Structures are given as structure tokens and as C-alpha cells.
């Protein structure tokens, strides 16, 4: 059974995809509806290798705190460990919700989807 919050998030993402002609939000909704066992984990050191300064990043899984991101990023993920959140904020980065992400980037341009 899928959590009602996840179902609502997927519905919002699908409607944003249709409204803004942005396939990235439909893909993210698809990832959200997968069983939690199928979701991925990523460490900060991997994010650091795949991103650059001031990137807006979305990861459909859990972000773990191994490593560090030496540059500022804006991150949206389904879940994040306390240590990862602390490290991102300490380096000047931001954590945002999916609704803030859609509001700031309605067409999905400039958003890096990891995973």
C-alpha cells in the first residue's frame, strides 16, 4: 500500500508535468509510486562528482551523508539523512520540497535528475 502523502505528491507532479509540458515531473511521479524497496540511495560524494556549483538537483530516493559536497547545490529528494542535510546546509546549499522545486522550475529546465 502506498502512503497517501506519496500518492498526493505523484498526483501533483503529474499535473505539473501536463500543465507545463515538462516530462521530468512525470518521470519523478513514476519513481515516487515505485515500492520503497525499489528506491535508490546515493551518497554525498557521488552527488559531488555529478554536480557543479549552484545546480538544482532532484533525487528520487534517499540521500546519505557519506562524503561531502564542496559546492552549493539546491536539493530535493524523497528522503535525506540528518548528516547529509547538515553537510549540504553548512556548505551554503539549500533543501527544498517538490512543490518549491516545481514553483521555481515549472518546465524542469536546469534541474538535474539523478538516478
Amino acid at each position: 500500500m502506498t502512503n497517501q502523502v506519496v500518492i498526493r505528491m505523484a498526483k501533483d507532479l503529474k499535473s505539473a508535468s501536463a500543465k507545463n509540458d515538462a516530462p521530468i515531473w512525470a518521470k519523478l511521479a513514476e519513481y515516487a509510486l515505485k515500492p520503497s524497496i525499489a528506491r535508490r540511495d546515493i551518497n554525498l560524494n557521488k552527488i559531488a562528482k555529478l554536480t557543479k556549483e549552484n545546480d538544482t538537483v532532484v533525487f528520487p530516493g534517499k540521500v546519505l551523508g557519506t562524503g561531502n559536497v564542496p559546492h552549493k547545490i539546491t536539493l530535493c529528494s524523497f528522503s535525506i539523512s540528518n548528516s547529509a542535510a547538515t553537510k549540504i546546509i553548512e556548505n551554503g546549499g539549500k533543501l527544498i520540497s517538490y512543490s518549491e522545486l516545481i514553483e521555481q522550475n515549472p518546465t524542469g529546465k536546469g534541474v538535474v535528475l539523478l538516478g
Side-chain angles (χ1 to χ4, degrees), residues 1-103:
M1 186 167 152
T2 306
N3 182 331
Q4 292 300 313
V5 174
V6 174
I7 292 171
R8 176 69 183 173
M9 178 178 62
K11 183 179 174 188
D12 291 347
L13 288 165
K14 286 179 184 177
S15 69
S17 176
K19 178 182 172 188
N20 301 310
D21 192 29
I24 188 171
W25 306 137
K27 191 67 168 171
L28 201 55
E30 184 182 311
Y31 283 131
L33 293 174
K34 284 188 175 186
S36 59
I37 195 80
R39 293 196 192 128
R40 300 177 181 172
D41 296 337
I42 192 168
N43 287 307
L44 289 178
N45 58 0
K46 182 83 169 181
I47 292 175
K49 290 177 186 174
L50 298 172
T51 61
K52 57 187 181 302
E53 184 78 21
N54 296 320
D55 271 353
T56 300
V57 180
V58 61
F59 181 70
K62 184 163 187 164
V63 177
L64 303 173
T66 303
N68 202 3
V69 180
H71 48 268
K72 293 179 188 176
I73 62 169
T74 301
L75 177 71
C76 175
S77 67
F78 290 168
S79 179
I80 187 168
S81 71
N82 288 336
S83 61
T86 302
K87 289 177 182 180
I88 288 170
I89 292 168
E90 283 176 353
N91 285 328
K94 292 191 311 185
L95 303 174
I96 61 173
S97 68
Y98 73 92
S99 55
E100 292 171 314
L101 181 67
I102 293 169
E103 195 175 296

